[in-house]
Amino acid sequence: MRKLASLVAISAMLAVTLSACGSDNNDSSGNTSAGNSDAKANTSTNTSTNTSNSSSGNNAAADNKADSGSNAAAADPGEVVTIRTSITEGELSKDQIAEFEAAHPNIKVEIDNVDATKLAAELATGDAPDIIRISGAFEVSNYVIKGLALDLTPYIDSSTVINKDDLVPIADVFRFDGKTIGQGPIYGLPKDWSNDFALFYNKKVFDAAGVEVPDASKPLTWPEVMDLAKKLTKKEGGKVTQYGLAATEWGLTEPNFNQMLQYLLSSGASISSADNATMDFNQPAVKDYINMWTDAVKSNVGPNSVNNDQTNGGTLFLDDKAGLLIDGYWYSGVIRGNEKAKAHLDDFGMLPTPIAPGGTRVAPTGGATGGIIYSGSKHPKEAWTFFEWFFGGKPADDRAKTGWGLPIFKSKMGLLPQETNFDKQTYGVLQDELNYSSQYLQVNPYLGGGGWAIFSKYVTPIFFGKSTVDDAVAGMTKDANVAVTEAKSAIGQ
């Protein structure tokens, strides 16, 4: 009973996190996979939370290094087991499911279409999908501290499909030792990922403004990006006819929490204490980021809350109405597939991820959407069979060939599109970006994806002159620490 009550509390907290995350809205990566029509994350001793939840199955894998899952619940010979996954229909086709089931007649695969509320309810009742789709960058640590993710280290160590030495460093975003992302047991894998804070340019807009496209061999600083955006923004009769910058493909050109974390990573600043127990936004780098973006909003370099232009950034960019778009390699798939863009594909290209002034070069993922196996899965062995096939088998090859994201295997990088001039330009910039992609956004596991809503709550009023940067950082610090304290309390820490 106590365990059920704890799970209800944990899941309610998770619902808040997921709702704040807004599903893909908080995921800086499109991370749409092959053909996705929805185009738009130490040792096996783990954390104390995991230890306390060992009965949920999260220690099963650690007990099965020699025979993955053999000590966990396994189907009787001849029994057909149904595995549920929240991987979306746009990422897992009916043909792929049929192909898997034909090769594994004892396993049926069912897609569980969940939103944040439904998933939280399923977690509360112990009926969550066997394989849960999550953001590697923002959600893995949160699931781990709640004991909801199965340790996959022994499964991967014994896999003949997934070679750990072949994984790119960013795959470690699914590792967590209780304090540091990228270290400790492996709890999952990305299906694909991108350098999500890079820039795409539309040369037609540059030409219309009489501005040269920057050198793609070296990154701009973020202030240089804003200055460039101002030069690209054109007005006629007081009305904007083309914007310089689109911050995302789906939203307004305003600052957000995820992009701030990339800025802080480049500047070497952190808003979380070493043990993640407290947060402090009152730092020069945070204020510099907010001031820089406030100036950009007031300069109308893109659609925003003040000018009340609700046109999304992706539409403006593809319609030759915005010169720059902040997005990762995955967006090259959108450009290749867009009928208007295809007519002048050579006008598009990618620029390296910008850096903070005086900062180091980093090109982290802002999403790395992938999957974990639910620690409460009744059939972890069969879930792993599907997981191994989907994340490391033929579907991984199919995803890489489309260019809708980067593979997690070094050996599959060569499968990315390299036929057109556009393909070659983006692939060339990517090769350099890969040298700076091994660092991770410093996400507080107790805040999870909740930072986005807190950030927007306090920063948006600044654009209207109704608050100050000092008041905003004070408010964000207060709310974030309340959220962290409540999250720790909910799991008995």
Side-chain angles (χ1 to χ4, degrees):
M1 192 67 185
R2 183 179 178 183
K3 180 181 175 184
L4 177 59
S6 297
L7 279 172
V8 170
I10 290 169
S11 299
M13 185 172 65
L14 186 62
V16 172
T17 297
L18 293 173
S19 297
C21 183
S23 298
D24 292 332
N25 283 1
N26 248 10
D27 184 341
S28 297
S29 165
N31 274 307
T32 48
S33 64
N36 186 358
S37 60
D38 299 330
K40 36 144 192 143
N42 75 19
T43 66
S44 57
T45 52
N46 301 333
T47 64
S48 59
T49 303
N50 281 342
T51 302
S52 66
N53 283 283
S54 59
S55 61
S56 296
N58 58 336
N59 280 351
D63 295 334
N64 293 298
K65 292 184 178 180
D67 180 11
S68 298
S70 62
N71 287 341
D76 294 331
E79 180 185 356
V80 176
V81 169
T82 297
I83 296 299
R84 291 162 51 223
T85 177
S86 57
I87 294 171
T88 67
E89 294 176 353
E91 299 162 328
L92 176 61
S93 70
K94 292 180 180 177
D95 288 344
Q96 287 176 318
I97 292 176
E99 182 180 343
F100 174 81
E101 291 178 344
H104 304 85
N106 64 317
I107 305 175
K108 296 293 183 184
V109 177
E110 181 180 291
I111 293 177
D112 189 354
N113 295 309
V114 298
D115 56 19
T117 302
K118 181 181 178 185
L119 178 58
E122 292 181 344
L123 287 166
T125 57
D127 190 36
D130 299 276
I131 298 169
I132 304 174
R133 177 188 190 272
I134 65 172
S135 162
F138 281 90
E139 296 182 283
V140 172
S141 57
N142 197 261
Y143 272 82
V144 172
I145 63 173
K146 295 167 185 169
L148 299 171
L150 190 67
D151 178 3
L152 301 183
T153 309
Y155 291 86
I156 291 176
D157 283 345
S158 60
S159 175
T160 59
V161 176
I162 298 172
N163 177 2
K164 198 160 60 175
D165 293 335
D166 191 31
L167 293 171
V168 296
I170 201 67
D172 285 346
V173 74
F174 273 79
R175 301 179 74 153
F176 186 60
D177 64 0
K179 290 185 178 179
T180 306
I181 294 171
Q183 298 183 17
I186 305 171
Y187 288 98
L189 288 173
K191 63 177 177 58
D192 48 34
W193 65 282
S194 280
N195 51 334
D196 295 302
F197 307 98
L199 295 169
F200 277 87
Y201 64 80
N202 183 335
K203 190 172 181 298
K204 271 198 167 185
V205 179
F206 276 73
D207 290 344
V211 177
E212 292 289 326
V213 174
D215 182 355
S217 67
K218 57 182 181 182
L220 298 168
T221 65
W222 279 111
E224 287 174 338
V225 172
M226 299 307 174
D227 288 341
L228 186 59
K230 292 175 184 176
K231 294 176 182 176
L232 291 168
T233 301
K234 292 179 60 180
K235 298 179 181 178
E236 290 182 9
K239 184 178 180 181
V240 174
T241 57
Q242 73 171 36
Y243 289 115
L245 178 66
T248 68
E249 74 277 7
W250 46 264
L252 298 176
T253 300
E254 297 180 353
N256 62 61
F257 183 74
N258 298 15
Q259 290 178 358
M260 182 185 74
L261 291 184
Q262 186 273 335
Y263 187 95
L264 298 183
L265 184 65
S266 175
S267 66
S270 176
I271 53 177
S272 293
S273 60
D275 60 358
N276 295 308
T278 59
M279 300 188 72
D280 182 8
F281 288 74
N282 188 16
Q283 301 190 36
V286 173
K287 293 181 179 180
D288 289 346
Y289 175 82
I290 296 173
N291 281 323
M292 175 187 72
W293 267 101
T294 298
D295 178 63
V297 169
K298 291 181 177 179
S299 299
N300 271 327
V301 300
N304 57 62
S305 299
V306 179
N307 63 31
N308 201 29
D309 185 345
Q310 299 298 313
T311 312
N312 70 66
T315 297
L316 289 167
F317 184 74
L318 295 171
D319 284 351
D320 309 327
K321 298 296 183 184
L324 295 165
L325 172 69
I326 302 171
D327 234 323
Y329 176 86
W330 76 272
Y331 196 76
S332 69
V334 176
I335 295 174
R336 290 188 195 91
N338 182 269
E339 291 302 320
K340 293 180 180 177
K342 283 195 293 187
H344 61 108
L345 198 56
D346 287 351
D347 286 327
F348 295 94
M350 187 168 74
L351 298 172
T353 304
I355 61 176
T360 58
R361 184 173 176 182
V362 293
T365 181
T369 300
I372 59 171
I373 294 180
Y374 173 43
S375 62
S377 171
K378 295 179 175 61
H379 303 290
K381 185 173 182 178
E382 289 78 10
W384 167 252
T385 299
F386 173 78
F387 186 101
E388 183 182 47
W389 172 82
F390 180 75
F391 288 95
K394 184 174 178 296
D397 292 355
D398 294 341
R399 287 192 294 272
K401 291 175 183 175
T402 67
W404 281 79
L406 300 171
I408 60 171
F409 299 97
K410 301 170 190 171
S411 60
K412 298 185 191 299
M413 283 291 175
L415 296 176
L416 293 170
Q418 299 178 58
E419 296 179 357
T420 67
N421 290 334
F422 172 71
D423 295 337
K424 294 172 183 174
Q425 195 277 340
T426 53
Y427 188 82
V429 173
L430 174 66
Q431 299 314 300
D432 196 27
E433 286 279 270
L434 292 175
N435 297 319
Y436 304 93
S437 63
S438 60
Q439 295 190 56
Y440 315 104
L441 300 181
Q442 299 302 301
V443 176
N444 188 304
Y446 301 103
L447 187 64
W452 185 290
I454 292 173
F455 181 90
S456 297
K457 172 185 174 182
Y458 287 102
V459 172
T460 300
I462 298 174
F463 307 151
F464 295 90
K466 295 183 177 179
S467 184
T468 65
V469 174
D470 286 339
D471 288 342
V473 297
M476 289 189 286
T477 299
K478 176 178 68 67
D479 282 13
N481 280 309
V482 169
V484 167
T485 300
E486 290 179 349
K488 289 173 66 68
S489 176
I491 57 176
Q493 294 186 13

